[in-house]
Structure formats: C-alpha cells, structure tokens
Amino acid sequence: MSPTKETMDTVRIPAGHDALLASYREALAHTNALTDRISTDQFSAHYPERPDWAIGPFGRDDALTFRLEGQWDDPTGVGWTSDSIFNPTVIERGDELHLFYRASPRKESTASRIGHAVRRDGVWHDSPLNPLIYPTFSNEVLGCEDPKVYAVDDGYVLFYNAIWRRDDGSVAVDIMSAVSQDLEHWEKRGLVVPYDVSEYWAKGAVIPRDEHGRAVRIGGEYLMFLSEGCGGRPMVGHSADGLDWSFAEQPYLDLTPLSGSLFEVACAAVDGDRMVLDFFYADEHGDFAAAQALYRLDDPFTQRAVNRGGSLAWGGLQKIGGRWSFAQGWDAPRDSRELYFYREVDA
C-alpha cells in the first residue's frame, strides 16, 4: 500500500502563491481559548500514581531553554512570520543536540513551517537554512507541522503533517516524509500514508524510538502507530527500511480503565525490553489529559498496563544527561518564541 503514482502526482503539484498568502492571512487571525491556555505542567508535572515502568513526571530545566530571535527569510514570498514555536523533536548526533520545531504565525495556528537548531558547546544556534521544511506542494498549502525525526540505519527520516483543503472545502491532513544524512540538509520524499488508508486524515507517524532517538526494529521491522484519522480505525504501519510502508488495521490501545477517548498517540519510548506509548486523550469529564500504556517488545500490540500522566512529547522522548527529556513551547509568554526543556524528576 505504498502511494500510487497518481497520488504522488497529485500531491506534487506546486503550492500556489495566492493560496499560500490566503493561508497565512487566515492563520494571523487564529485564536482558540483551549489551546491558548494549554500548559505542559498540567499533563506531566504530577502523576496520581507512579508505577516503576512509567516515564516521568517531569520538571523544567531552564539551562536548556531555546529562544528564537529574528524572523526567517520567507522563500514563499508571502511575508510569512512566526510568533510561536512548539511541538518539537530532539535528537542527538555525537556531542550535538538537534532540535526540530514547528513555527507558526499564531500559537497552534495553521500556515506552520519547520525549523532546525543545533546546540554545540552549551549554546543554541538556529540554522541559517531555515525554514527547513515549508510548503512547496499543493497538499502543504495550509502548513507543514509537528516534525518527528528518527535515526534509521545510516541516515535520518523526518515525518511531518501536511495540511490542505480539499475541493469540497474540508481540511485534510497527510503524513509526509523527508530524508537526510546529516540532519542539516533534507530532501522531501512525499506522501507516506495513501488515501485509501488515511481517508484524507492521518496523524501519528509514531515509531518506537530508543533513548538516543534511533528507530527500533520490532520483530525485524519498523512499526508506525497511527492514531488519529483513518476513518477511526487503529492502523499500524510496517516497513523494512523506515521509508516505504504498508498499513493494516491493528487494535493496540484500550482506554477503558481511564474511561476516556483517544485523541492522538504522541510517542513510543523503548526502554530495554519494554515499550511505553505516551498519548493524548479526553478524560471522563471530557478534559484534555495525558497517559501512558505499557507493552513488551515481543508483544507490541498487547497492552499490559495504563497510567494517567504523560509527556505529550510529540517528537519523542530523548535521554539527556541520563534522564528522559523532551521540549515544548506551550508555556512561552505571549509574543515570546521559546522552547522549554523538561527532564524526568526523581520519585
């Protein structure tokens, strides 16, 4: 079920200037009372219970804060700017820490781009190549969002959400990919999840990942957990190389003990012979919440336990200084483009 030639030809139509300008202007007017006040601490600072397998809770480490200064040049020519950065991936390469993040005209708006920064010798350097990923195809007109980066064999794969509007006016979300050998220069590969699977809405691209950011093979292959869209079906991708994927319906998460309903799986952390899925859901009162579920690597679809509290680390958890860590920008003050790092705290 790799994307067909017809599908690839459709998404490779260049993004038009007028459509990009309209998308940017729409994003500038965005506001949402729920997401405007969302805070990382409400999900990850305290867990009602802390079984030994759970990852977290987390506390902020201000020594790692990243701040974006200035505005990038806009290769699309529509005058695009950002005032919010969030939903990043962190991955190490040698002594460097690489940060890939979503930049938006307004917090949680569309018309997003993806940027890259590197921490060397204790100092963050925003890439002069930014924006790293920006709309170039017609299915990216409403933005490129939420990077997820994995080390795969001798290279790297970046998955991101491409947002666009169909002819009937409905919004569609595609999972796209790009590849790199050095984390600096990227080549877009295109659509990952075909439309007969996604039904024009798929989020996730959650691949089990170890503490260094490396994708982990399970049963000799890479797995990808899709959790939002696909017509409400729980879908899992299978790949030999992390690049080309086939998909099959596969239940893997049971929220009955939480009396909740799933929004989206954020990440899958592999620790020894176990895997922890960290996910976003609506609790019994309909409020935003996070939780984690436990699996064995030799049985990755059978849930062993579930516990309320999680990181919602959309780009994956990473060990920094020996502790599970992640970054997020939800708590940055208005008009302040900052990403804060959170590290697992002692019991």
Side-chain angles (χ1 to χ4, degrees):
M1 285 191 289
S2 295
T4 64
K5 181 180 184 299
E6 291 76 15
T7 294
M8 293 308 302
D9 288 345
T10 298
V11 302
R12 287 191 182 277
I13 297 171
H17 177 275
D18 290 348
L20 289 169
L21 179 59
S23 170
Y24 175 53
R25 289 175 173 171
E26 180 182 345
L28 289 174
H30 173 82
T31 184
N32 183 300
L34 285 175
T35 57
D36 284 350
R37 60 181 172 81
I38 200 169
S39 170
T40 299
D41 284 345
Q42 76 186 75
F43 306 109
S44 65
H46 304 284
Y47 295 180
E49 298 180 8
R50 189 175 183 177
D52 60 4
W53 59 265
I55 302 175
F58 297 84
R60 189 189 298 185
D61 180 354
D62 290 328
L64 291 171
T65 296
F66 169 73
R67 296 177 178 86
L68 179 60
E69 307 291 345
Q71 291 289 347
W72 303 332
D73 291 338
D74 174 26
T76 68
V78 301
W80 183 92
T81 59
S82 64
D83 83 347
S84 184
I85 57 176
F86 53 99
N87 290 5
T89 280
V90 179
I91 189 169
E92 63 183 357
R93 184 183 184 216
D95 295 331
E96 299 174 341
L97 200 59
H98 289 254
L99 177 69
F100 298 83
Y101 56 91
R102 173 178 170 183
S104 294
R106 296 290 183 266
K107 183 179 178 181
E108 293 284 355
S109 76
T110 54
S112 296
R113 312 286 189 260
I114 293 171
H116 172 224
V118 184
R119 187 176 177 85
R120 300 185 181 98
D121 300 321
V123 179
W124 284 109
H125 304 272
D126 201 49
S127 174
L129 301 177
N130 285 334
L132 198 71
I133 301 290
Y134 61 91
T136 57
F137 301 139
S138 59
N139 71 322
E140 300 172 338
V141 162
L142 295 184
C144 301
E145 304 180 350
D146 300 351
K148 300 179 189 295
V149 178
Y150 304 91
V152 177
D153 296 331
D154 59 351
Y156 301 91
V157 184
L158 183 156
F159 298 90
Y160 63 97
N161 297 334
I163 316 300
W164 57 290
R165 187 169 280 112
R166 300 176 66 190
D167 291 342
D168 63 5
S170 62
V171 173
V173 180
D174 293 339
I175 295 177
M176 305 280 279
S177 70
V179 293
S180 174
Q181 291 297 310
D182 61 6
L183 291 173
E184 305 272 355
H185 303 86
W186 293 85
E187 178 184 358
K188 289 182 178 180
R189 294 190 80 246
L191 191 68
V192 175
V193 184
Y195 293 133
D196 60 348
V197 174
S198 72
E199 300 187 21
Y200 295 93
W201 190 288
K203 286 188 178 182
V206 171
I207 298 171
R209 189 177 188 258
D210 71 12
E211 64 188 71
H212 305 290
R214 297 177 299 218
V216 175
R217 282 190 172 91
I218 297 176
E221 64 179 356
Y222 296 112
L223 301 177
M224 178 188 293
F225 295 88
L226 304 181
S227 53
E228 183 176 331
C230 301
R233 299 168 296 166
M235 303 294 291
V236 172
H238 303 262
S239 175
D241 59 6
L243 301 176
D244 297 307
W245 295 83
S246 62
F247 295 88
E249 186 169 352
Q250 172 64 64
Y252 60 84
L253 190 59
D254 178 13
L255 269 64
T256 302
L258 299 173
S259 301
S261 57
L262 181 66
F263 288 132
E264 186 178 351
V265 172
C267 61
V270 173
D271 189 5
D273 62 356
R274 64 191 182 191
M275 178 181 74
V276 175
L277 286 187
D278 190 294
F279 60 91
F280 182 40
Y281 75 105
D283 68 13
E284 66 272 22
H285 307 295
D287 295 330
F288 290 164
Q292 295 176 348
L294 174 67
Y295 303 80
R296 290 201 318 246
L297 284 190
D298 61 0
D299 191 10
F301 308 129
T302 302
Q303 179 176 308
R304 304 287 166 173
V306 67
N307 187 64
R308 178 157 181 163
S311 68
L312 297 188
W314 303 111
L317 288 158
Q318 171 88 29
K319 278 195 177 177
I320 301 174
R323 293 174 183 252
W324 288 105
S325 306
F326 68 98
Q328 186 53 273
W330 287 337
D331 291 289
R334 181 180 293 274
D335 301 322
S336 175
R337 292 172 300 165
E338 297 179 338
L339 285 169
Y340 304 120
F341 278 70
Y342 301 82
R343 300 171 76 177
E344 190 173 26
V345 299
D346 293 329

